[in-house]
Amino acid sequence: MNAPDRFTLFVLDEGEAPVEVNEDTKIPNAATIKILKQDHTLGNMLRAQLLSMPQVLFAGYKVPHPLHPYFLLKIQTDGSIAPDLLLSEACNQLIGTLASLEGKFKREFAFKEADGAGLGATGVGGAGHGGAAFATSDDPYGTGAGTGGTASWGNRDDYLDF
Amino acid sequence: MNDPILRIRKYERDRVNFVLENVDMAFANSLRRVMMADLPTVAIDIVEIQANTTVLPDEFISHRLGMIPLVSSNCDVAMRYTRDCNCFENCAFCSIILVLNVKCHDSTTMDVTSNHLEVVPHEDQGMEEAGEEQVKRIEKFGSPVGKNEPGVEPILICKIRKGQELKLKCIVKKGIAKEHAKWSPCSAVSFEYDPHNKLRHTSYWFETDERAEWPLGENAAEEEAPREGEPFDFNAKPSKFYFDVETDGSLGAQEVVMKVRIIVSFLSF
C-alpha cells in the first residue's frame, strides 16, 4: 500500500543530485562523498581505481545499510589535488578503460563472426536439447500402459462433453 | 593507464566465454554485476486474466508468464520505461500487449505453451504515427524467445484437459533485474580467477588429500601450476578473469557483453 516504487532503488528522484561532497573538517585533504542510487557495482570499482592512483592516501567505500540505495566514498589525498577532482579523474580513467574494452570486444566479435559462419545452428538450438525425448515419454496420468496413450480417459462419457 | 587484454574463447548466439586480463578484480566484478542486473530487457509485468478454468490459480500462471524470456534486442532505445512515459497507464511506446487464448476441445491433455502467446497491437496504435522507438524494434520484439522456431522447445505454461480454457492479456514492460530478476538477460554468468588457488582466497575442505578431492577446473590449464614448496606471495593480485556469460535468449550474448558500456552512464555524474 505505502510501499515505495521499486525503481526508487536505482532511479534518482526528481531534482535529486547524484553526488554530495562533504569535505572533512578534521582530516586534511579528505572528503566523504555520498553517491546516491548506486551500489557496490560502482563503489568497489571507484575505490579500486582510486587506490591505484599515486596521489591517494586513503580510499574506501561503504554501503551503510542494504536497504538504503546509496554509498559513501571516503578519499584522502596527499594535498596535490582535491579529493573531488581526483574522483572525477578516476571516473575518466575508468571510462577510458571501458571504451578500450568495448573496442576490444568489437574486434574479437568481428574475428569470431568472420570464421564462425555456422553460428546460428549452435546457438539457441542447444537450449531445446533433451526436451523432445522427455515430452514423448511424459505420461502424467499413467494411462499409457493399457490403451496406448492419452486417448484413454476421453473415450468414456465425460462430464465436460457439453 | 592499464589496458585490458581480452580473448574470446567460445562464442555462440546465447553464450560467450572470454578471458579478461590486466584489469582489477573490482573492475571485473563490476562487469559481472552489470551484465546480470543493469541491462534492460522486456518481460510480462501485468496479467489480466479473463478466464482461467485450469487447475493452476491465477497468480501461479501470472508468475510463470513473467518468467518467459521475450525478445528484447535493442531494448534500451526501442522502448521507454513506463515511469518515463507521458501516457496515463501504458501505451505503445512503453508497453507491448500479448494475448493468450486457448481452450481444449480434444480428449487428450493439451499443453499451453509460450507458442500460444501472440503479440497484438495497442488499440490506439496505427491512429498516430509510429514513434521513433517503434521504428527501432525488430520484427519479433516482445514475442517469446524461439517462438515457432524449429528445434526450440516452447516453454510450458500450463496443461489443460477437455473443456478447460485459459484466456488472458499480458502487458509487457521494460525493466532491469534490480527490480525483478525476470528482467535479467543472463541465465548464468560464471566468473573465476586464480584456478590454482595460489592467492589462497579460499581454503578447501578435505578429508584426506586436498589435490585428489578437488580436481582442477578447465581454466587451470591457462595458468602455471604453483611449484612444490613455492613460498606464498602475499603481494600477488588476481589479474586474469574467466567469464562465461549465458543468456536466456532475450538478448544475444554479444549484445549483453557490448552493453556493459552502461557503466559509463553511472560514471558520468
Side-chain angles (χ1 to χ4, degrees):
Chain A
M1 287 250 269
N2 59 354
D5 285 320
R6 285 174 301 182
F7 61 78
T8 54
L9 289 174
F10 49 87
V11 177
L12 288 163
D13 297 335
E14 200 131 327
E16 194 175 37
V19 186
E20 272 172 43
V21 180
N22 285 311
E23 293 203 8
D24 242 306
T25 49
K26 290 186 179 166
I27 312 166
N29 308 314
T32 304
I33 296 157
K34 184 179 180 186
I35 298 178
L36 282 91
K37 306 291 158 94
Q38 289 294 348
D39 57 7
H40 298 276
T41 306
L42 194 61
N44 194 23
M45 195 164 69
L46 280 177
R47 192 222 69 202
Q49 185 65 37
L50 284 164
L51 286 175
S52 75
M53 300 168 91
Q55 305 96 317
V56 170
L57 294 184
F58 178 86
Y61 86 102
K62 68 174 173 184
V63 177
H65 192 282
L67 292 178
H68 294 153
Y70 69 88
F71 69 85
L72 298 173
L73 186 63
K74 196 162 258 206
I75 308 170
Q76 187 184 11
T77 67
D78 60 4
S80 60
I81 184 170
D84 47 342
L85 294 177
L86 197 71
L87 176 63
S88 66
E89 171 63 27
C91 287
N92 286 334
Q93 285 183 5
L94 279 173
I95 290 172
T97 312
L98 279 164
S100 137
L101 180 65
E102 193 191 16
K104 298 218 159 114
F105 264 122
K106 260 195 193 133
R107 227 184 51 208
E108 284 279 317
F109 277 125
F111 284 145
K112 288 277 165 187
E113 243 148 51
D115 54 44
L119 184 67
T122 51
V124 166
H129 70 92
F134 181 71
T136 46
S137 65
D138 194 10
D139 187 7
Y141 300 99
T143 50
T147 47
T150 42
S152 61
W153 58 263
N155 289 340
R156 62 185 185 274
D157 274 348
D158 196 305
Y159 73 99
L160 287 168
D161 277 329
F162 303 116
Chain B
M1 196 193 73
N2 55 352
D3 213 22
I5 300 170
L6 176 77
R7 194 172 88 248
I8 297 180
R9 293 197 290 193
K10 210 168 89 188
Y11 166 46
E12 289 167 15
R13 192 158 79 179
D14 61 351
R15 83 182 309 158
V16 57
N17 185 306
F18 60 92
V19 185
L20 191 61
E21 276 175 81
N22 207 16
V23 294
D24 202 78
M25 172 140 74
F27 184 89
N29 189 45
S30 291
L31 216 61
R32 180 191 63 86
R33 286 174 62 96
V34 163
M35 288 191 286
M36 293 204 297
D38 284 293
L39 305 182
T41 60
V42 292
I44 293 171
D45 197 31
I46 297 171
V47 181
E48 292 169 6
I49 296 194
Q50 280 142 359
N52 175 16
T53 52
T54 69
V55 290
L56 297 183
D58 293 0
E59 42 278 67
F60 199 130
I61 290 172
S62 313
H63 179 251
R64 289 183 71 77
L65 286 165
M67 300 297 150
I68 295 171
L70 308 176
V71 175
S72 316
S73 302
N74 213 17
C75 154
D76 44 355
V77 288
M79 185 112 163
R80 286 181 200 165
Y81 289 109
T82 302
R83 58 175 180 269
D84 296 333
C85 193
N86 47 24
C87 64
F88 177 62
E89 211 169 349
N90 51 67
C91 66
F93 291 99
C94 64
S95 68
I96 294 170
I97 296 176
L98 292 179
V99 292
L100 184 138
N101 187 0
V102 270
K103 191 165 182 176
C104 180
H105 299 289
D106 295 331
S107 45
T108 53
T109 310
M110 182 184 172
D111 289 349
V112 183
T113 66
S114 57
N115 279 352
H116 291 111
L117 283 167
E118 300 287 345
V119 179
V120 294
H122 276 260
E123 281 153 25
D124 56 352
Q125 207 172 344
M127 314 250 278
E128 52 192 299
E129 270 181 53
E132 56 171 331
E133 277 94 348
Q134 281 97 322
V135 180
K136 291 172 184 155
R137 292 180 193 169
I138 59 165
E139 191 198 344
K140 283 186 176 170
F141 193 83
S143 64
V145 168
K147 188 185 170 188
N148 297 330
E149 272 175 36
V152 181
E153 199 79 1
I155 296 162
L156 183 66
I157 296 163
C158 179
K159 286 191 178 186
I160 54 177
R161 70 168 291 177
K162 191 179 204 176
Q164 294 181 336
E165 77 166 318
L166 185 60
K167 188 177 180 203
L168 47 85
K169 179 177 147 189
C170 309
I171 295 163
V172 173
K173 291 196 170 170
K174 175 175 154 182
I176 66 169
K178 275 183 187 169
E179 190 166 339
H180 191 291
K182 69 186 174 186
W183 277 299
S184 177
C186 296
S187 46
V189 180
S190 79
F191 176 84
E192 190 186 10
Y193 64 92
D194 188 26
H196 294 287
N197 196 28
K198 278 184 191 168
L199 305 170
R200 302 191 194 170
H201 284 192
T202 187
S203 58
Y204 289 120
W205 180 91
F206 58 92
E207 288 212 21
T208 47
D209 179 17
E210 184 184 315
R211 295 248 179 98
E213 288 162 42
W214 291 94
L216 293 170
E218 55 182 72
N219 292 333
E222 294 265 349
E223 283 180 30
E224 212 178 308
R227 277 172 284 117
E228 200 65 49
E230 188 179 319
F232 176 57
D233 179 5
F234 48 82
N235 283 320
K237 276 186 167 177
S239 70
K240 202 168 177 183
F241 302 92
Y242 308 92
F243 283 84
D244 189 277
V245 182
E246 181 188 318
T247 75
D248 60 10
S250 53
L251 295 178
Q254 181 174 1
E255 207 176 347
V256 166
V257 172
M258 294 307 289
K259 275 200 189 147
V260 295
R261 216 158 184 248
I262 207 162
I263 311 178
V264 172
S265 65
F266 300 165
L267 288 164
S268 321
F269 38 69

